[in-house]
Every structure is written in C-alpha cells, then in structure tokens.
Amino acid sequence: MSRFWSAVTHGLTPYVPGEQPKIDNLVKLNTNEHPYGPSPRVIEAIQAAASDALRLYPDPNADRLKLALAARHGVRPDQVFVGNGSDEVLAHAFLGLLKHELPLWMPDISYSFYPVYCGLYEIAHRIIPLTEDFTLRVEDYLPQGERRAGAIIFPNPNAPTGRLLPLEAVERIVAGNPEAVVLVDEAYVDFGGDSAIPLVDRYPNLLVVHTFSKSRSLAGLRVGFAIGHADLIAGLERVKNSFNSYPLDRLAIAGAVASVEDEAYFQKSCRKVIASREALSTQMTELGFDVLPSAANFIFARHPSRDGAELAAALRQRAIIVRHFKAARIDQFLRITVGTDEQCAALVTALREILHA
C-alpha cells in the first residue's frame, strides 16, 4: 500500500495468472497452453520479419492480419479488431462497450478477469449463478420486466468449466437483448464448439472475441481479435487509439498472418487435442472422478472422496502442475489442461498412485 496510490488502485483485486514455474522436466497442465507448437510457417514468418525493419514502427492498424481474419471468417475488414492478446481486446471492450448505467451481467463461474475489469473501470455488474450442473441457463439472461442488462458477457465454452452453450442458445440471448451488447468470449471454441461469428451480420449488438493463445499455439506471441458490427469495432478502435496505437509488433503480425493462412495445420492440431481430451476424460472417469463435459482444451474434474487442494499438492510433488481454484462452488475441482498423450499418461499414472496410496 502507498499513500500515492489512487482510490481505484487501492480498491483493485488483481487477476492472478496461472503459475509459470521454472522447473525442469515439469508436466505443466495448469494454463491451457497448446501441447503442440505453432505451424512451422509461423516460425518462418517471424524469422523473416526479424530484420532491419524492426527499427520502424509496425502498422498501427495491422491491416494484413485484419484482411486475413476477415477472409477466413467471411466478414469485412472493418468488422475485425485486433489487440495484444484477447485480454487487451476484452479490456477495451469493457471500457468502450460494456460500461453503462445498467449493470453488466456475467456468470458467477467464468473467466476470473471479468470482475477485475469491472473493478478497474468501475463498472456496475450483476453476477448470475450457473445451474447446479454448471450450465448457463438462457432464461437468466433475458429481460424480465424492469430487470434489464446494460451489457452481457460470458465465455463459450465456459472457463473454467469447459461446458458449451449451443449456438442456438447463444442466439436466443443475443436476439433477446437488442439494446445491450452481448460479448461472447470464444477463447476455446475451436476445440469443439460452433462460433457465433456467423451471427454478427444479423445482430449489431453481438461481439465475438478470440485469441491466438489456445488453438493456434501462440500464447507467447500475444494476439487476440474481435469480430462484430462495424460500429462496435469503431468503438474499440477509438479506445485502442486513446491507449496504445501500436498493440501488435511486426513479429506478432507476421506470425499471426502465417497462422491464419495455414488452415490445414490448425485443423490437424485441434483434432489431436480433441482426441486426447476425450481419452483423458474417459480415463479420469474410470479413476472415479466426476468430469464435466468439455468442449475446450482442458477438463474440469473432482473426486468424490478426495480433497481438490490435496490432490493438486500431491501431483505437484510428482512434478505435475494443474490448476486449483479456491472459489466457492468449485474449490473441489481441478482444471487440467490437455497435454500430449505422454503428459496425459503421466498424469493418470500419478493420480492412480495417489488415489490408491
């Protein structure tokens, strides 16, 4: 604490990112990083961009990347916004599109950065509990009399639960709130869901946010994007250019473009993760875990007779790190990133030893 801090700084409860330990021979299954590297074309593009041109500023609009994303998703370039990871894209959206007199609605169990942004930007918000089985109920997000949302945000698939809301259910929420921006955070959608991006031309209140950190194996590059109506994107551009005109450097733009252009590699690597997730879910169930259905690159599981924190600690003693949350309702769950088949096998072997010890 310092007397020089502002009142906002004093009141913040910062987001705590997943641990990035510096331990050799570690099975790291705690931050939902892709188990396989990016397309070789990405590495080649970054190496080619690492030239004398680095003395020059990058394109502030990242037009090459916007064009590539627009072509892939069937939208116009003016419907695409890019930023320094989806966290920055979300931050700009919170300030520029989600802050209104009426409260922002969000699930009680979702990405834990959302309440942090509300604190940072002093956004009134309403927490809506998921159901007993951790699903999002559409009816809870529809206006009821005087009860209306200023804006709505939710991840799909949800994090940390991994549960997927079908696209028709997402559309019901968007269509049912024509006066409110609905932001769908699709960080994990490529691992088993249908994106809401095809809906953006029908609904001017819909914004869909993606990241290159998960399905495109580029967590270290920091690239995210949003797709929506051109008016929403223009609002994000106003915020971005009032904060940092150059969010993506030359290497990030080159690498991200190369990733988008290598569709075959992208699809193949996603299929590998999906297959490993299904196998891991089956093995965890056979060990007695309750495993929630997942459409992400992680699973969310608890054991009916073993404490979640103790299981996480026991795994750590065996050089395997998973994510344990202390939050209410989920403090007995472990969020486990889907690793390589070898990493998943090491996890299952360790859990078998712990449970039978």
Side-chain angles (χ1 to χ4, degrees), residues 85-274:
S86 63
D87 284 340
E88 182 182 77
V89 176
L90 289 169
H92 292 339
F94 267 76
L95 182 61
L97 303 174
L98 306 183
K99 182 176 182 177
H100 300 282
E101 290 186 11
L102 291 174
L104 168 65
W105 292 2
M106 66 181 75
D108 64 332
I109 299 170
S110 66
Y111 187 24
S112 52
F113 222 139
Y114 298 163
V116 175
Y117 289 134
C118 288
L120 179 62
Y121 297 127
E122 300 180 317
I123 299 174
H125 58 286
R126 178 172 180 264
I127 302 297
I128 300 177
L130 298 176
T131 64
E132 287 285 328
D133 64 353
F134 301 105
T135 57
L136 186 149
R137 186 167 43 212
V138 171
E139 290 72 21
D140 292 341
Y141 290 83
L142 300 178
Q144 297 178 8
E146 296 298 316
R147 187 178 72 89
R148 295 177 178 273
I152 294 170
I153 185 171
F154 58 89
N156 195 44
N158 196 10
T161 67
R163 279 193 174 277
L164 179 72
L165 193 66
L167 185 57
E168 59 269 22
V170 173
E171 185 172 8
R172 285 179 59 199
I173 294 174
V174 177
N177 292 274
E179 302 304 315
V181 171
V182 178
L183 192 160
V184 185
D185 185 353
E186 294 186 342
Y188 300 99
V189 77
D190 296 321
F191 296 109
D194 293 321
S195 175
I197 289 175
L199 302 178
V200 298
D201 283 334
R202 274 187 274 162
Y203 299 100
N205 61 322
L206 172 62
L207 187 75
V208 183
V209 174
H210 278 225
T211 179
F212 278 66
S213 296
K214 311 302 181 183
S215 58
R216 293 193 176 273
S217 308
L218 289 172
L221 206 60
R222 311 309 304 130
V223 180
F225 66 96
I227 292 180
H229 190 280
D231 289 347
L232 297 183
I233 301 305
L236 292 176
E237 294 287 357
R238 287 173 68 90
V239 174
K240 168 247 184 183
N241 287 319
S242 302
F243 177 76
N244 177 14
S245 295
Y246 302 96
L248 295 184
D249 61 42
R250 287 175 170 269
L251 305 185
I253 292 171
V257 170
S259 176
V260 174
E261 291 177 345
D262 195 348
E263 182 70 15
Y265 184 92
F266 168 70
Q267 294 293 345
K268 180 181 178 181
S269 63
C270 284
R271 288 195 298 269
K272 290 170 66 175
V273 172
I274 292 169

